[in-house]
Amino acid sequence: MLGRVLTIILGAAFFLLAGLGTPALAADASTVNSGDTSFVLMSAALVLLMTVALAFFYGGLVRRKNVLSIMMQCLFAMGLISIQWVLFGYSLSFGPDKGGIIGGLEWVGLRGVGQAPNPDYAATIPHTAFMIFQCMFAMITPARIIGAFAERMKFSAFCIFLILWATLVYDPVCHWVWGVGGFIRKMGALDFAGGTVVHINAGIAALVAAVMLGKRTGYPERAMPPHNLPFTLLGAGCLWFGWFGFNAGSALAANGIAVSAFVATNTAAAAAALMWAGIEWVHGGKPTMLGMATGAVAGLVAITPAAGFVGPVSAILIGLSVSMICYFFVAFVKVKFGYDDSLDAFGVHGIGGLWGALVTGLLATKLINPAGADGLFFGNARQFGIQIAGCAITIGYSLVMTFVILKAVDLLVGIRASASDEMVGLDLTQHNESGYTLLD
Amino acid sequence: MLGRVLTIILGAAFFLLAGLGTPALAADASTVNSGDTSFVLMSAALVLLMTVALAFFYGGLVRRKNVLSIMMQCLFAMGLISIQWVLFGYSLSFGPDKGGIIGGLEWVGLRGVGQAPNPDYAATIPHTAFMIFQCMFAMITPARIIGAFAERMKFSAFCIFLILWATLVYDPVCHWVWGVGGFIRKMGALDFAGGTVVHINAGIAALVAAVMLGKRTGYPERAMPPHNLPFTLLGAGCLWFGWFGFNAGSALAANGIAVSAFVATNTAAAAAALMWAGIEWVHGGKPTMLGMATGAVAGLVAITPAAGFVGPVSAILIGLSVSMICYFFVAFVKVKFGYDDSLDAFGVHGIGGLWGALVTGLLATKLINPAGADGLFFGNARQFGIQIAGCAITIGYSLVMTFVILKAVDLLVGIRASASDEMVGLDLTQHNESGYTLLD
Amino acid sequence: MLGRVLTIILGAAFFLLAGLGTPALAADASTVNSGDTSFVLMSAALVLLMTVALAFFYGGLVRRKNVLSIMMQCLFAMGLISIQWVLFGYSLSFGPDKGGIIGGLEWVGLRGVGQAPNPDYAATIPHTAFMIFQCMFAMITPARIIGAFAERMKFSAFCIFLILWATLVYDPVCHWVWGVGGFIRKMGALDFAGGTVVHINAGIAALVAAVMLGKRTGYPERAMPPHNLPFTLLGAGCLWFGWFGFNAGSALAANGIAVSAFVATNTAAAAAALMWAGIEWVHGGKPTMLGMATGAVAGLVAITPAAGFVGPVSAILIGLSVSMICYFFVAFVKVKFGYDDSLDAFGVHGIGGLWGALVTGLLATKLINPAGADGLFFGNARQFGIQIAGCAITIGYSLVMTFVILKAVDLLVGIRASASDEMVGLDLTQHNESGYTLLD
Amino acid sequence: MKYIVAIIQPEKLEEVQAELFKNEIHLMTVSQVLGCGRQKGITQIYRGRKESGTLLKKIKLEIAVNDQFLKPAIDAITKAAKTGNIGDGKIFVLDLEECIRLSTGETGGPAIG
Amino acid sequence: MKYIVAIIQPEKLEEVQAELFKNEIHLMTVSQVLGCGRQKGITQIYRGRKESGTLLKKIKLEIAVNDQFLKPAIDAITKAAKTGNIGDGKIFVLDLEECIRLSTGETGGPAIG
Amino acid sequence: MKYIVAIIQPEKLEEVQAELFKNEIHLMTVSQVLGCGRQKGITQIYRGRKESGTLLKKIKLEIAVNDQFLKPAIDAITKAAKTGNIGDGKIFVLDLEECIRLSTGETGGPAIG
Ligand SMILES: Nc1ncnc2c1ncn2[C@@H]1O[C@H](COP(=O)(O)OP(=O)(O)O)[C@@H](O)[C@H]1O
Ligand SMILES: Nc1ncnc2c1ncn2[C@@H]1O[C@H](COP(=O)(O)OP(=O)(O)O)[C@@H](O)[C@H]1O
Ligand SMILES: Nc1ncnc2c1ncn2[C@@H]1O[C@H](COP(=O)(O)OP(=O)(O)O)[C@@H](O)[C@H]1O
């Protein structure tokens, strides 16, 4: 059995080697800036860490019996998307434009993506550096959706969903917004580090998934308190840390814009964390650690599209406002409509990302980033309209496609774990292992 | 209710936007060095991670029922100080000097702090990069104090204490030692990365707080073993990691001094960790993991003021000696005097920082850093005197002010949690949540 | 007692200070590249984090009663090797060559290792930066061995073993492969970031140690499930993150080769993680989180020697193949031969490293790295032979020397903890502490 | 006085508590146990090594009651915890000789409730 | 022979043990349990969602004693654990039919101590 | 019917279970407890502060059996758990008045097995 697999794989590999394995020659070093390259590589590493951080942020929130299932899904996204990206995802997203809709297959297997910079995307770093930085974004985006269907999705269904969603939803939307020739980009929409591409996109998918999978057994009557909140803080802390790579790294150079994005990121996270705690203090009686951590993440989400276009005071405003909005969705709207967005992937990522994308259209200013645009409050009402259009298109597409994909996967293998598997826990039933020992 | 808050905040925000939100124009790129900027931004990210690390270092040491209260306090410091710094803390600390005592309000809301370098502080990176790097220091300093009043302080009291201490103690001391025109700086005191400003300052505040809050119920008769030592190692490990940003980053450029500080940091941490284990082996019977972790942190604390001024052999000496001194304080002095410095914030940070500041006056050498000064052992006795003076002033100021602030807070809301809250645990009583589930 | 120790140490320190403490003058800044320096320092920090990560990767896999013993050993390696390296390890490894066999003592105490670059090793960064980057490698290599003798080695024996192995095995092998004049280097063997020096070397030592210490009591009859798999994921995730420093940092500059190594690292880890999960799915029934994490580490190990010499498609191939091989060793060979390589230090690190070193001789190409060499599949069969020779020499040397060292340590203090200590657990018996509280 | 020990499925704790409360039984002690029963455990696999588990998580309730509350307690637990499937659990009844409330020093029947 | 089950506040464990030791009672088995009693649990709030807890951490002691040690044991526990507040806990006494020390095979009274 | 409570060394759980299975005793409830016994606890040291422990990890088994299975059960536990050293543990036997299987409603003897 193993032998057969081995043979097939080696065979396939050598075929690939012959077909694709002629990498570009080493770069003409003169155009590569070592400071910028160092910055983008370290940023890419930080963004990779975010997916691990997410595994802990989410993992701490579920019940003990499902902690590994969350972590496994994050890890699987790291593995699968890394390969998908190198093989064809990058080409679909950033490859030569086909009608504003999708990248071509010219860069499949990274053919032609070499150490020389591609000035279309980043003029001072190797093209491969841009590619791998973007790879980390492609990886964490679907991982965010996990929070919506936690504790009840079949692992096999997740795997199929993952590859389809990455290819049919993430790659096109990424091309529209960031790819040269992409039609939303051409409209002039601003999305510094992924509000539309990453957060709205994943957030809407999360909502669709939560509704389609249905509630967890016992929700909302039965208490399902987080099993390990220190893990959640670990996740939130490392997300905050890694988000500097996500946002500042999106400047693709260690310059003033990067610093500005870094400052905005930290400031918005802080303001949102404080605001969430404040709301709880006023509304619920006591400020909670989970509340502050949630607020910080909401702030990071909201500042993402705006990071390189706004100053620190706007960042505070974004942080304060996003916590109010997300709290409202998580504590009221979710309860009212009764869907089980288990870890608030929609309530925090979707809504926070949407607010961030819109607010970018209000607060962006060329004083911070001359390559950007002015928003409504700086005299350019048009930008706000463009942002709304960009969001609407992304929401519509993500909604429809996620629905179609999940339906297909459901027909194929069934998306929901059996009731008894859910009761025993996904760790034991989907992965034959358990997170912690009980008698040791 | 929420609506009202929203209106007020938006109103305030637009006022601020109008008043402050005219950020500096983009930098004249020619003076910004991408390598240095990359280094300082990444260092800032590392220092942010240290506050999260501290939450785990301390969090692992308390009892299960108080783990979130520690983490919440760290997170709250991250939130509150980030905003305080941007709004006025940075201006007070580094703004245009007023009589050597304090920075002016010229830079409130970061007005005038833009992407162009400020050569007074760092000539090759955007001024905002320097600002945000320093923000991380302002954030972690009060967080260190938490160890002294763990498991018994009211959260509301903590919040008020935090903002007052940051504004009335940290900002002035920071200005004296590092601000252009600051009077301790003018005396010629050496403090590479914050021995006086960060460690002595926080350490003395910790002692005052420990004494004023009084002992935890049951201390020292009742056993209160650390509830999760792996968390403490996680914290110590990430502190070690992050401290490279703290110390090497303080060179504010990726140059030889930064490398030298990096080497000294690693070496001192290692020597101190070994020494602590060695003392335990000789004195207590067995070397412990907690001992090594504590030693490593003590070494990192002590090397902080000296990092950019000493060679590796001096670093070893500093590491070895600080563990002896801190062990003595933690295992004997604390017991003798009977104060409950619960997690040894004074015993490790205060004493370690004091020793580091003094030893800098002994071992600093211009061979390593021509911009520094020679210490006593390199023929310059005067420097030792200056260091003593710097320490004495900081100790005196921190002691008096911390006392005054805590008294005020006590009158206002009471600093100590009620006995029954303390018994049930601060997580449940201050935050309505608990770290781990019990039946799951 | 303490007083005496203090006096001795201070005396020794001043002797050293006089003898060694004349550090090189500050560098001629013109040759130091800030981007490269930033990159290498941050990479060094990342590699340091890997040893902490290893403590969690391994720590999560043992039983609750032994978690601290693992963490303590990792921490002790961080402390001891940092000092050994600065005092004489670096000089033995990279100092002026003596007959191709060992470095001379000229650089003892870092005399002559200053802020100016050493073009033999890295022309654009301070010599000390290269030194400290290598220090982190010296630290993590012996830490990897810990997995083989987990849960049963006496701590005193570990300490002696550690210093002897680092000095008598790591330093010479490091010199042979990487030191200027080292005889394996002169043969033309390729080892980008440490396949031979780090992984094979430690892996073989692990096998020897596992066999010499004998099985844990109750192995393999009694179940010994991992006590905390989230910790293992935390470790694996941070290893993946840190490995970017390990591999990309080994380019010693933020250039195209670094980016290429970064991409190869991520790709191989991903492919190997997927493959391991795939094998489990086919063979064991269910893909496991531990399996994916193990696969990712195996992929990282295998790509290490090849990272800077191969393209992404080759990296996929390496990742896929290493998981097949390591799975085979871990699940079949270990069971068949019955040695207790408790955490698979040999099965994953040794075998993975061996495969990586060999495959480098197949897939390396000058298209990626003109300073490298072509492998067998690119027309240069000789390279494959050289790689085999390099591996064979390392295996032979590590095997014999590890055996000799362990025998000596066994005669001296005994290597195996007593049966009752093993039963109660090493945390309590070797370190007088326990990882978690039981009644709190 | 009787000392009831009940082993139930973890999922059923809240329902059992609610049902007991309805029957005026408010005091009990709860703990987490592992049950080895007719319901088989789940095999775990770590790096290819199978470990067949025999233990499953259960909740144990201990309830001291005066005699007249024995039947209501048993009925309440049965009502809430029974699904009819293997693994539902069991109730054990032991005789209780004495009961003392520490805060007041009361003993016997009055100390129980 | 009697089998004593005592539920006490977690804070009191060390004092209770000390008091028992004074009365020559050295052997016991301790575990962590959750008590549902007159002392009310504390409401927890996660992202705005309230969960009213009914359970509080308690310590359970199990002590097998020969009859003449029953009263000393009860007195010792009461002395150390009583504060007079709700939540102090309870002592339950069951009859013990047999006791076997595994290491020696002793049974009955001599096996207990 | 009897209710057996056995305290054993953690290392012995699997062997005890195996031995019980051989004797047709398949049902039991297992939990982790801390024992305070003749075997002394181990002193812990945190930052120079000694804390002398009195508690050691043990496993507690609870097994309800019909009378004819009492002796086989005791023998099986003894056989598997005994090493002859201090700390091996103890078996306590209590009388069991009633037993109810929740899934079927069976009571008494038939409900036990
Ligand atoms: N004879 C017994 N002694 C002790 N515990 C038992 C006994 N029988 C059952 N139990 C406990 O009750 C639980 C449920 O038993 P099980 O046989 O799985 O289900 P059921 O009998 O309800 O179909 C077991 O896991 C075990 O904890
Ligand atoms: N009838 C009972 N059955 C089982 N456990 C009980 C019973 N009554 C009290 N307990 C246990 O004793 C603990 C203390 O009881 P509580 O009513 O809070 O305080 P008290 O009666 O001492 O004022 C409870 O939390 C519970 O664990
Ligand atoms: N009288 C008792 N009451 C309750 N538990 C007991 C009693 N005697 C022993 N135990 C339990 O049995 C365990 C083993 O007892 P110990 O005295 O250490 O060993 P042994 O008697 O087997 O030599 C103890 O740790 C404790 O948990």
Side-chain angles (χ1 to χ4, degrees), chain C residues 28 30-33 36-37 115-127 130 251-253:
Chain C
D28 174 11
S30 64
T31 56
V32 168
N33 176 306
D36 294 344
T37 304
Q115 293 177 12
N118 178 337
D120 282 351
Y121 293 118
T124 60
I125 60 173
H127 190 181
F130 175 76
L252 297 169

PDB file of all heavy atoms in Angstrom, chain C residues 28 30-33 36-37 115-127 130 251-253:
ATOM      1  N   ASP C  28      34.124  49.252  11.375  1.00  0.00           N
ATOM      2  CA  ASP C  28      34.110  50.218  10.283  1.00  0.00           C
ATOM      3  C   ASP C  28      32.724  50.106   9.649  1.00  0.00           C
ATOM      4  O   ASP C  28      32.436  49.163   8.929  1.00  0.00           O
ATOM      5  CB  ASP C  28      35.206  49.822   9.280  1.00  0.00           C
ATOM      6  CG  ASP C  28      35.137  50.709   8.043  1.00  0.00           C
ATOM      7  OD1 ASP C  28      34.407  51.721   8.066  1.00  0.00           O
ATOM      8  OD2 ASP C  28      35.809  50.359   7.051  1.00  0.00           O
ATOM      9  N   SER C  30      31.112  51.156   7.351  1.00  0.00           N
ATOM     10  CA  SER C  30      30.828  51.164   5.921  1.00  0.00           C
ATOM     11  C   SER C  30      30.540  49.776   5.360  1.00  0.00           C
ATOM     12  O   SER C  30      29.761  49.636   4.425  1.00  0.00           O
ATOM     13  CB  SER C  30      31.992  51.786   5.159  1.00  0.00           C
ATOM     14  OG  SER C  30      33.133  50.975   5.318  1.00  0.00           O
ATOM     15  N   THR C  31      31.157  48.734   5.928  1.00  0.00           N
ATOM     16  CA  THR C  31      30.953  47.412   5.348  1.00  0.00           C
ATOM     17  C   THR C  31      29.721  46.694   5.903  1.00  0.00           C
ATOM     18  O   THR C  31      29.329  45.664   5.371  1.00  0.00           O
ATOM     19  CB  THR C  31      32.173  46.518   5.593  1.00  0.00           C
ATOM     20  OG1 THR C  31      32.407  46.493   7.008  1.00  0.00           O
ATOM     21  CG2 THR C  31      33.389  47.072   4.891  1.00  0.00           C
ATOM     22  N   VAL C  32      29.174  47.195   6.991  1.00  0.00           N
ATOM     23  CA  VAL C  32      28.035  46.520   7.595  1.00  0.00           C
ATOM     24  C   VAL C  32      26.743  46.978   6.923  1.00  0.00           C
ATOM     25  O   VAL C  32      26.474  48.168   6.829  1.00  0.00           O
ATOM     26  CB  VAL C  32      27.986  46.798   9.113  1.00  0.00           C
ATOM     27  CG1 VAL C  32      26.656  46.344   9.696  1.00  0.00           C
ATOM     28  CG2 VAL C  32      29.130  46.090   9.814  1.00  0.00           C
ATOM     29  N   ASN C  33      25.955  46.002   6.465  1.00  0.00           N
ATOM     30  CA  ASN C  33      24.684  46.305   5.810  1.00  0.00           C
ATOM     31  C   ASN C  33      23.564  46.194   6.846  1.00  0.00           C
ATOM     32  O   ASN C  33      23.377  45.141   7.458  1.00  0.00           O
ATOM     33  CB  ASN C  33      24.474  45.310   4.659  1.00  0.00           C
ATOM     34  CG  ASN C  33      23.126  45.506   3.989  1.00  0.00           C
ATOM     35  OD1 ASN C  33      22.080  45.494   4.634  1.00  0.00           O
ATOM     36  ND2 ASN C  33      23.155  45.709   2.683  1.00  0.00           N
ATOM     37  N   ASP C  36      20.872  43.389   6.192  1.00  0.00           N
ATOM     38  CA  ASP C  36      21.367  42.045   6.478  1.00  0.00           C
ATOM     39  C   ASP C  36      21.525  41.832   7.976  1.00  0.00           C
ATOM     40  O   ASP C  36      21.201  40.757   8.506  1.00  0.00           O
ATOM     41  CB  ASP C  36      22.707  41.811   5.771  1.00  0.00           C
ATOM     42  CG  ASP C  36      22.557  41.812   4.252  1.00  0.00           C
ATOM     43  OD1 ASP C  36      21.412  41.688   3.759  1.00  0.00           O
ATOM     44  OD2 ASP C  36      23.578  41.951   3.555  1.00  0.00           O
ATOM     45  N   THR C  37      22.041  42.844   8.655  1.00  0.00           N
ATOM     46  CA  THR C  37      22.240  42.707  10.100  1.00  0.00           C
ATOM     47  C   THR C  37      20.913  42.538  10.807  1.00  0.00           C
ATOM     48  O   THR C  37      20.761  41.681  11.689  1.00  0.00           O
ATOM     49  CB  THR C  37      22.988  43.937  10.634  1.00  0.00           C
ATOM     50  OG1 THR C  37      24.210  44.074   9.910  1.00  0.00           O
ATOM     51  CG2 THR C  37      23.290  43.798  12.118  1.00  0.00           C
ATOM     52  N   GLN C 115      32.925  43.723  16.136  1.00  0.00           N
ATOM     53  CA  GLN C 115      31.820  44.263  15.357  1.00  0.00           C
ATOM     54  C   GLN C 115      32.125  44.345  13.864  1.00  0.00           C
ATOM     55  O   GLN C 115      31.219  44.514  13.048  1.00  0.00           O
ATOM     56  CB  GLN C 115      31.398  45.634  15.918  1.00  0.00           C
ATOM     57  CG  GLN C 115      30.794  45.510  17.324  1.00  0.00           C
ATOM     58  CD  GLN C 115      30.430  46.850  17.950  1.00  0.00           C
ATOM     59  OE1 GLN C 115      30.412  47.867  17.271  1.00  0.00           O
ATOM     60  NE2 GLN C 115      30.153  46.852  19.249  1.00  0.00           N
ATOM     61  N   ALA C 116      33.408  44.221  13.510  1.00  0.00           N
ATOM     62  CA  ALA C 116      33.741  44.225  12.090  1.00  0.00           C
ATOM     63  C   ALA C 116      33.373  42.875  11.473  1.00  0.00           C
ATOM     64  O   ALA C 116      33.513  41.838  12.129  1.00  0.00           O
ATOM     65  CB  ALA C 116      35.223  44.490  11.911  1.00  0.00           C
ATOM     66  N   PRO C 117      32.893  42.867  10.242  1.00  0.00           N
ATOM     67  CA  PRO C 117      32.550  41.593   9.605  1.00  0.00           C
ATOM     68  C   PRO C 117      33.780  40.693   9.433  1.00  0.00           C
ATOM     69  O   PRO C 117      34.895  41.179   9.308  1.00  0.00           O
ATOM     70  CB  PRO C 117      32.013  42.012   8.227  1.00  0.00           C
ATOM     71  CG  PRO C 117      31.629  43.433   8.366  1.00  0.00           C
ATOM     72  CD  PRO C 117      32.571  44.012   9.380  1.00  0.00           C
ATOM     73  N   ASN C 118      33.541  39.406   9.440  1.00  0.00           N
ATOM     74  CA  ASN C 118      34.562  38.438   9.073  1.00  0.00           C
ATOM     75  C   ASN C 118      34.147  37.880   7.715  1.00  0.00           C
ATOM     76  O   ASN C 118      33.246  37.036   7.636  1.00  0.00           O
ATOM     77  CB  ASN C 118      34.608  37.323  10.118  1.00  0.00           C
ATOM     78  CG  ASN C 118      35.621  36.270   9.744  1.00  0.00           C
ATOM     79  OD1 ASN C 118      35.971  36.114   8.574  1.00  0.00           O
ATOM     80  ND2 ASN C 118      36.105  35.538  10.740  1.00  0.00           N
ATOM     81  N   PRO C 119      34.794  38.334   6.669  1.00  0.00           N
ATOM     82  CA  PRO C 119      34.311  37.979   5.316  1.00  0.00           C
ATOM     83  C   PRO C 119      34.375  36.483   5.039  1.00  0.00           C
ATOM     84  O   PRO C 119      33.687  35.987   4.143  1.00  0.00           O
ATOM     85  CB  PRO C 119      35.244  38.746   4.381  1.00  0.00           C
ATOM     86  CG  PRO C 119      36.047  39.654   5.251  1.00  0.00           C
ATOM     87  CD  PRO C 119      36.000  39.155   6.652  1.00  0.00           C
ATOM     88  N   ASP C 120      35.185  35.748   5.784  1.00  0.00           N
ATOM     89  CA  ASP C 120      35.197  34.284   5.618  1.00  0.00           C
ATOM     90  C   ASP C 120      33.816  33.706   5.839  1.00  0.00           C
ATOM     91  O   ASP C 120      33.448  32.695   5.247  1.00  0.00           O
ATOM     92  CB  ASP C 120      36.148  33.652   6.630  1.00  0.00           C
ATOM     93  CG  ASP C 120      37.587  33.794   6.207  1.00  0.00           C
ATOM     94  OD1 ASP C 120      37.829  34.221   5.058  1.00  0.00           O
ATOM     95  OD2 ASP C 120      38.475  33.514   7.037  1.00  0.00           O
ATOM     96  N   TYR C 121      33.088  34.291   6.742  1.00  0.00           N
ATOM     97  CA  TYR C 121      31.773  33.740   7.070  1.00  0.00           C
ATOM     98  C   TYR C 121      30.628  34.597   6.561  1.00  0.00           C
ATOM     99  O   TYR C 121      29.658  34.081   6.022  1.00  0.00           O
ATOM    100  CB  TYR C 121      31.666  33.477   8.575  1.00  0.00           C
ATOM    101  CG  TYR C 121      32.605  32.370   9.020  1.00  0.00           C
ATOM    102  CD1 TYR C 121      33.628  32.602   9.924  1.00  0.00           C
ATOM    103  CD2 TYR C 121      32.479  31.087   8.494  1.00  0.00           C
ATOM    104  CE1 TYR C 121      34.491  31.584  10.315  1.00  0.00           C
ATOM    105  CE2 TYR C 121      33.339  30.060   8.869  1.00  0.00           C
ATOM    106  CZ  TYR C 121      34.348  30.315   9.775  1.00  0.00           C
ATOM    107  OH  TYR C 121      35.192  29.311  10.128  1.00  0.00           O
ATOM    108  N   ALA C 122      30.717  35.892   6.780  1.00  0.00           N
ATOM    109  CA  ALA C 122      29.620  36.755   6.318  1.00  0.00           C
ATOM    110  C   ALA C 122      30.166  38.167   6.183  1.00  0.00           C
ATOM    111  O   ALA C 122      30.543  38.780   7.183  1.00  0.00           O
ATOM    112  CB  ALA C 122      28.453  36.726   7.297  1.00  0.00           C
ATOM    113  N   ALA C 123      30.153  38.657   4.978  1.00  0.00           N
ATOM    114  CA  ALA C 123      30.885  39.887   4.702  1.00  0.00           C
ATOM    115  C   ALA C 123      30.118  41.152   5.044  1.00  0.00           C
ATOM    116  O   ALA C 123      30.708  42.225   5.115  1.00  0.00           O
ATOM    117  CB  ALA C 123      31.283  39.920   3.225  1.00  0.00           C
ATOM    118  N   THR C 124      28.821  41.034   5.255  1.00  0.00           N
ATOM    119  CA  THR C 124      28.041  42.266   5.396  1.00  0.00           C
ATOM    120  C   THR C 124      27.438  42.462   6.782  1.00  0.00           C
ATOM    121  O   THR C 124      26.634  43.362   6.996  1.00  0.00           O
ATOM    122  CB  THR C 124      26.888  42.276   4.372  1.00  0.00           C
ATOM    123  OG1 THR C 124      26.052  41.137   4.627  1.00  0.00           O
ATOM    124  CG2 THR C 124      27.409  42.222   2.956  1.00  0.00           C
ATOM    125  N   ILE C 125      27.788  41.607   7.703  1.00  0.00           N
ATOM    126  CA  ILE C 125      27.249  41.748   9.063  1.00  0.00           C
ATOM    127  C   ILE C 125      28.406  41.666  10.053  1.00  0.00           C
ATOM    128  O   ILE C 125      29.452  41.075   9.749  1.00  0.00           O
ATOM    129  CB  ILE C 125      26.215  40.646   9.385  1.00  0.00           C
ATOM    130  CG1 ILE C 125      26.857  39.248   9.286  1.00  0.00           C
ATOM    131  CG2 ILE C 125      25.001  40.753   8.465  1.00  0.00           C
ATOM    132  CD1 ILE C 125      25.962  38.117   9.751  1.00  0.00           C
ATOM    133  N   PRO C 126      28.250  42.258  11.232  1.00  0.00           N
ATOM    134  CA  PRO C 126      29.306  42.142  12.235  1.00  0.00           C
ATOM    135  C   PRO C 126      29.650  40.676  12.513  1.00  0.00           C
ATOM    136  O   PRO C 126      28.759  39.810  12.498  1.00  0.00           O
ATOM    137  CB  PRO C 126      28.695  42.802  13.474  1.00  0.00           C
ATOM    138  CG  PRO C 126      27.709  43.789  12.928  1.00  0.00           C
ATOM    139  CD  PRO C 126      27.142  43.120  11.703  1.00  0.00           C
ATOM    140  N   HIS C 127      30.912  40.421  12.779  1.00  0.00           N
ATOM    141  CA  HIS C 127      31.341  39.062  13.089  1.00  0.00           C
ATOM    142  C   HIS C 127      30.556  38.509  14.278  1.00  0.00           C
ATOM    143  O   HIS C 127      30.154  37.346  14.300  1.00  0.00           O
ATOM    144  CB  HIS C 127      32.846  39.061  13.392  1.00  0.00           C
ATOM    145  CG  HIS C 127      33.442  37.689  13.493  1.00  0.00           C
ATOM    146  ND1 HIS C 127      34.762  37.473  13.774  1.00  0.00           N
ATOM    147  CD2 HIS C 127      32.897  36.460  13.360  1.00  0.00           C
ATOM    148  CE1 HIS C 127      34.999  36.170  13.826  1.00  0.00           C
ATOM    149  NE2 HIS C 127      33.891  35.531  13.566  1.00  0.00           N
ATOM    150  N   PHE C 130      27.280  36.913  13.308  1.00  0.00           N
ATOM    151  CA  PHE C 130      27.428  35.527  12.847  1.00  0.00           C
ATOM    152  C   PHE C 130      27.616  34.598  14.043  1.00  0.00           C
ATOM    153  O   PHE C 130      27.013  33.526  14.124  1.00  0.00           O
ATOM    154  CB  PHE C 130      28.623  35.428  11.889  1.00  0.00           C
ATOM    155  CG  PHE C 130      28.922  34.019  11.465  1.00  0.00           C
ATOM    156  CD1 PHE C 130      28.116  33.384  10.526  1.00  0.00           C
ATOM    157  CD2 PHE C 130      29.991  33.312  12.015  1.00  0.00           C
ATOM    158  CE1 PHE C 130      28.378  32.071  10.140  1.00  0.00           C
ATOM    159  CE2 PHE C 130      30.255  32.002  11.630  1.00  0.00           C
ATOM    160  CZ  PHE C 130      29.451  31.388  10.689  1.00  0.00           C
ATOM    161  N   ALA C 251      21.212  32.123   5.081  1.00  0.00           N
ATOM    162  CA  ALA C 251      21.769  32.858   3.937  1.00  0.00           C
ATOM    163  C   ALA C 251      22.675  33.978   4.429  1.00  0.00           C
ATOM    164  O   ALA C 251      23.475  34.518   3.674  1.00  0.00           O
ATOM    165  CB  ALA C 251      20.652  33.415   3.064  1.00  0.00           C
ATOM    166  N   LEU C 252      22.508  34.349   5.691  1.00  0.00           N
ATOM    167  CA  LEU C 252      23.314  35.390   6.338  1.00  0.00           C
ATOM    168  C   LEU C 252      23.170  36.749   5.675  1.00  0.00           C
ATOM    169  O   LEU C 252      23.994  37.648   5.889  1.00  0.00           O
ATOM    170  CB  LEU C 252      24.781  34.965   6.419  1.00  0.00           C
ATOM    171  CG  LEU C 252      25.010  33.705   7.275  1.00  0.00           C
ATOM    172  CD1 LEU C 252      26.414  33.179   7.109  1.00  0.00           C
ATOM    173  CD2 LEU C 252      24.715  33.998   8.749  1.00  0.00           C
ATOM    174  N   ALA C 253      22.141  36.904   4.866  1.00  0.00           N
ATOM    175  CA  ALA C 253      21.832  38.190   4.262  1.00  0.00           C
ATOM    176  C   ALA C 253      20.392  38.139   3.792  1.00  0.00           C
ATOM    177  O   ALA C 253      19.871  37.059   3.490  1.00  0.00           O
ATOM    178  CB  ALA C 253      22.762  38.465   3.079  1.00  0.00           C
TER     179      ALA C 253
END
